[in-house]
Amino acid sequence: MPFPIQLYIIEELLDCCLDLLSIACLFIPQRSPSGSSEISVHSIKELVLDVMALLRALNDDEPYDLIDIRTDEVQLSIRVK
């Protein structure tokens, strides 16, 4: 039986990555957005901040079923607690 991964563990890992990205942003100048498809360190930092805000919102609410699919042979349930 698989074990559930608590969302706070993922949030803590993202927090550590955010610390590293914050240090990297001190040494890398922020460029103005151009037409290139390059992803900057500053963009990744903003993305991590958004994901962390989403995880905090999921952690604050009461538990709910994100996915609940049942067939004759397979049952798939993802419950956010």
Side-chain angles (χ1 to χ4, degrees):
M1 177 173 222
F3 62 92
I5 298 174
Q6 301 294 328
L7 288 179
Y8 71 88
I9 294 173
I10 297 171
E11 186 178 347
E12 288 295 323
L13 288 173
L14 286 175
D15 190 41
C16 293
C17 291
L18 184 62
D19 291 341
L20 293 173
L21 287 169
S22 296
I23 292 170
C25 286
L26 292 174
F27 298 105
I28 298 174
Q30 186 170 3
R31 295 179 292 173
S32 62
S34 61
S36 68
S37 61
E38 295 178 7
I39 298 174
S40 70
V41 176
H42 296 276
S43 299
I44 295 173
K45 178 184 171 187
E46 292 299 320
L47 180 64
V48 169
L49 283 170
D50 292 338
V51 170
M52 287 179 63
L54 178 64
L55 286 176
R56 284 188 188 115
L58 290 174
N59 280 335
D60 291 342
D61 295 336
E62 295 182 12
Y64 61 92
D65 291 334
L66 184 62
I67 296 175
D68 190 11
I69 301 172
R70 298 168 194 237
T71 64
D72 295 335
E73 299 174 7
V74 178
Q75 177 180 352
L76 174 66
S77 295
I78 298 177
R79 179 170 288 153
V80 179
K81 295 184 178 185

